[in-house]
């Protein structure tokens, strides 16, 4: 058989390799020999490098071994989080792919491919990759810029490659370091592995649809961070992957429901009445949020937060319909009743759930179900520490309505 060193890029790209496809191998073209920059445990930038940096003429990047794609991290949105130290979600790694590999002798490791210029369209969360399948094209991306490391730091276009114990951008142990570990330390102690201990030496199990253990709980910390920053599309993508890895991941359904709710709410705020009419008639983000919250409730009927989230979504959908369909009496919008029911259920599960009282107050008021009930719930929420002045327009309207009842 032909040795790997003489294989052409086309052979790697088309998956025609006839040797041991389950063996780890270099993730770049081997002929001519790749240029090697910072290597594993090599000092650089006042730190210790936790991976290897490689560069080739064709710039193609390949899967080091068969596995499953568990993370596709795009550049951060530089409009909001550009630059080092600014909370950029790519943390300087740029366009990044992480693949899960199940080792032949047991256990798992994850290969990371960072600073990519482009990612192949076939590389999506949950996708099974074959040996030497094209991952993308090496670049210099990072901190929201496609050429950050080349233009700002003078580094050549290259692939930053890691093998580690968890599918995260950071170090697996502390979650505080990216691509490097502190000076005078050993990357092994932070959950990294020397890739050269794997190339040509260790093998994986054949990647199948069941490669991910049912016992494994996908890491959703990145998705939570996306939600905190208002990056709902990215959060939905991460959570959808987590659900694909574990179809009974209750928390992922709840969080994705919240992301859909927030995304739908943002859309509503920027729509005309006519646009809203068309949007409500189609499957939209609020419908998807309700479906996810419903699934979360089915998996855990005692989840007060899921009931509360679905209540807010019903309330938003009812308010949107009331604006878009002004000629229909409020009493016709059944989502107000559904919202009240869900908020009530959340309160029954957790009698000190301030946000559920506040949500039910809005449903009573906007659904014309009883202003006095609404005011009582506002006071309960306030007593429990909820910032009731978060929506002054609602409070002012409720107070005016109560005056009219006297």
């Amino acid at each position: 058989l032909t040795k790997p060193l003489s294989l052409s890029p086309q052979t790697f790209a088309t998956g025609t390799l006839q040797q041991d496809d389950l063996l780890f191998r270099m993730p770049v073209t081997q002929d001519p020999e790749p240029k090697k920059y910072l290597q594993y445990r090599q000092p650089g930038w006042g730190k210790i490098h936790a991976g290897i940096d490689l560069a080739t003429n064709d710039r193609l990047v390949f899967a080091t071994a068969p596995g499953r794609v568990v993370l596709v991290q795009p550049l951060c949105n530089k409009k909001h989080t550009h630059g080092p130290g600014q909370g950029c979600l790519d943390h300087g790694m740029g366009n990044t792919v992480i693949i899960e590999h199940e080792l032949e002798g047991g256990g798992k490791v994850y290969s990371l491919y960072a600073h990519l210029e482009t990612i192949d369209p076939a590389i999506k969360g949950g996708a099974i990759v074959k040996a030497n399948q094209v991952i993308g094209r090496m670049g210099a991306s990072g901190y929201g810029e496609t050429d950050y490391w080349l233009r700002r730091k003078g580094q050549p276009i290259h692939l930053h490659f890691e093998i580690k114990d968890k599918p995260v951008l950071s170090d697996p142990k502390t979650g505080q370091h990216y691509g490097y570990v502190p000076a005078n330390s050993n990357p092994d102690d932070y959950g990294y592995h020397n890739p050269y201990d794997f190339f040509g030496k260790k093998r994986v199990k054949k990647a199948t649809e069941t490669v991910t253990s049912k016992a494994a709980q996908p890491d959703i910390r990145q998705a939570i961070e996306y939600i905190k920053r208002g990056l709902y599309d990215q959060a939905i993508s991460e959570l959808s992957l987590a659900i694909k890895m574990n179809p009974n991941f209750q928390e992922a359904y709840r969080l994705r429901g919240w992301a859909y709710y927030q995304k739908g709410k943002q859309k509503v705020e920027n729509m005309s009445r006519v646009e809203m009419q068309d949007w409500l008639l189609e499957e939209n983000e609020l419908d998807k949020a309700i479906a996810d919250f419903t699934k979360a409730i089915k998996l855990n009927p005692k989840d007060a937060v899921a009931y509360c989230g679905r209540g807010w979504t019903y309330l938003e959908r009812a308010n949107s319909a009331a604006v878009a369909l002004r000629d229909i009496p409020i009493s016709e919008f059944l989502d107000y009743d559904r919202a009240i029911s869900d908020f009530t259920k959340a309160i029954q599960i957790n009698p000190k759930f301030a946000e559920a009282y506040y949500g039910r107050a809005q449903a009573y008021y906007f659904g014309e179900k009883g202003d006095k009930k609404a005011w009582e719930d506002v006071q309960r929420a306030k007593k429990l520490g909820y910032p009731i002045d978060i929506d002054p327009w609602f409070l002012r309207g409720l107070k005016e309505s109560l005056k009219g009842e006297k």
Side-chain angles (χ1 to χ4, degrees):
L1 293 176
T2 307
K3 294 181 180 180
L5 285 176
S6 65
L7 290 172
S8 68
Q10 289 75 21
T11 301
F12 279 106
T14 56
T16 57
L17 186 66
Q18 298 300 310
Q19 290 196 354
D20 186 349
D21 285 354
L22 301 181
L23 197 65
F24 280 89
R25 59 189 72 245
M26 292 277 278
V28 297
T29 305
Q30 295 296 292
D31 186 12
E33 186 175 354
K35 295 178 181 179
K36 299 177 182 179
Y37 296 102
L38 280 176
Q39 294 297 289
Y40 192 73
R41 294 185 66 179
Q42 183 176 342
W45 307 94
K47 306 173 184 178
I48 302 298
H49 203 230
I52 60 175
D53 289 350
L54 304 168
T56 58
N57 293 334
D58 63 22
R59 295 171 57 187
L60 290 174
V61 176
F62 310 98
T64 186
R68 180 194 294 273
V69 178
V70 293
L71 177 69
V72 178
Q73 170 65 53
L75 286 173
C76 72
N77 185 340
K78 64 181 181 181
K79 186 183 297 183
H80 303 294
T81 55
H82 170 258
Q86 301 301 313
C88 185
L89 290 176
D90 70 49
H91 296 283
M93 306 299 273
N95 293 312
T96 304
V97 172
I98 298 180
I99 298 175
E100 175 189 84
H101 308 281
E102 191 167 350
L103 299 175
E104 187 177 59
K108 295 179 184 178
V109 293
Y110 300 85
S111 57
L112 176 146
Y113 312 75
H115 304 327
L116 299 176
E117 177 184 75
T118 57
I119 297 173
D120 189 274
I123 303 302
K124 299 178 181 179
I128 299 298
V129 295
K130 300 177 181 179
N132 303 299
Q133 181 173 333
V134 173
I135 299 300
R137 190 173 173 84
M138 62 181 67
S141 60
Y143 293 119
E145 297 184 6
T146 57
D147 58 354
Y148 176 85
W149 293 104
L150 176 66
R151 183 165 60 87
R152 291 178 179 260
K153 296 297 182 180
Q155 290 191 359
I157 289 173
H158 67 281
L159 167 70
H160 175 82
F161 178 80
E162 299 173 355
I163 292 182
K164 59 211 307 183
D165 289 334
K166 291 182 180 180
V168 292
L169 296 180
S170 64
D171 72 271
K173 183 177 180 180
T174 71
Q176 297 178 4
H177 310 287
Y178 298 85
Y180 294 83
V181 295
N184 301 316
S185 61
N186 187 338
D188 294 10
D189 297 330
Y190 286 80
Y192 293 99
H193 300 278
N194 188 337
Y196 292 103
D197 291 339
F198 285 74
F199 298 152
K201 300 175 182 177
K202 296 190 178 183
R203 301 175 77 251
V204 300
K205 293 181 180 179
K206 185 176 181 180
T208 66
E209 293 300 322
T210 59
V211 68
T212 301
S213 169
K214 292 182 179 179
Q217 193 76 313
D219 192 331
I220 57 173
R221 288 177 295 178
Q222 192 73 47
I224 293 172
E225 188 66 25
Y226 281 141
I227 290 174
K228 288 179 181 178
R229 298 183 181 279
L231 302 174
Y232 302 119
D233 284 331
Q234 290 93 323
I236 289 166
S237 178
E238 288 290 311
L239 293 164
S240 296
L241 172 59
I243 290 168
K244 187 167 185 176
M245 294 172 68
N246 181 354
N248 292 316
F249 195 173
Q250 193 267 349
E251 186 180 3
Y253 282 106
R254 169 160 43 82
L255 287 169
R256 192 173 69 174
W258 189 251
Y260 273 129
Y261 161 71
Q262 292 289 355
K263 185 180 177 183
K265 190 176 178 182
Q266 283 184 345
K267 279 191 173 183
V268 166
E269 291 171 353
N270 296 296
M271 283 182 185
S272 67
R273 181 186 175 192
V274 173
E275 290 173 332
M276 200 179 298
Q277 288 175 347
D278 294 337
W279 183 74
L280 286 168
L281 291 174
E282 301 172 350
E283 185 184 31
N284 55 62
E285 286 78 5
L286 298 182
D287 296 330
K288 293 177 180 178
I290 289 168
D292 274 350
F293 284 129
T294 300
K295 179 66 174 180
I297 291 167
K298 183 177 180 180
L299 290 169
N300 180 9
K302 297 296 185 181
D303 187 346
V305 176
Y307 276 107
C308 189
R310 193 172 68 176
W312 280 111
T313 310
Y314 278 134
L315 179 60
E316 184 66 33
R317 196 167 70 175
N319 286 342
S320 300
V323 171
L325 309 170
R326 296 175 190 165
D327 299 330
I328 300 177
I330 290 291
S331 59
E332 295 293 317
F333 299 126
L334 299 179
D335 280 345
Y336 285 119
D337 293 318
R338 296 183 179 114
I340 291 169
S341 176
D342 274 351
F343 288 131
T344 300
K345 183 65 176 180
I347 291 166
Q348 289 172 348
I349 296 170
N350 179 6
K352 295 184 178 181
F353 199 167
E355 187 172 348
Y357 284 109
Y358 189 75
R360 191 171 67 175
Q362 290 210 8
Y364 279 139
Y365 171 68
F366 290 116
E368 298 180 357
K369 304 294 182 180
D371 293 340
K372 289 183 179 179
K373 291 181 180 178
W375 184 249
E376 289 172 358
D377 274 352
V378 166
Q379 296 308 305
R380 291 189 185 101
K382 182 179 180 180
K383 187 176 181 180
L384 289 168
Y386 193 82
I388 62 170
D389 56 352
I390 195 172
D391 190 346
W393 181 81
F394 158 61
L395 282 181
R396 185 166 56 249
L398 177 58
K399 289 177 181 178
E400 289 296 323
S401 184
L402 286 169
K403 288 180 181 179
E405 289 185 2
K406 293 180 180 179

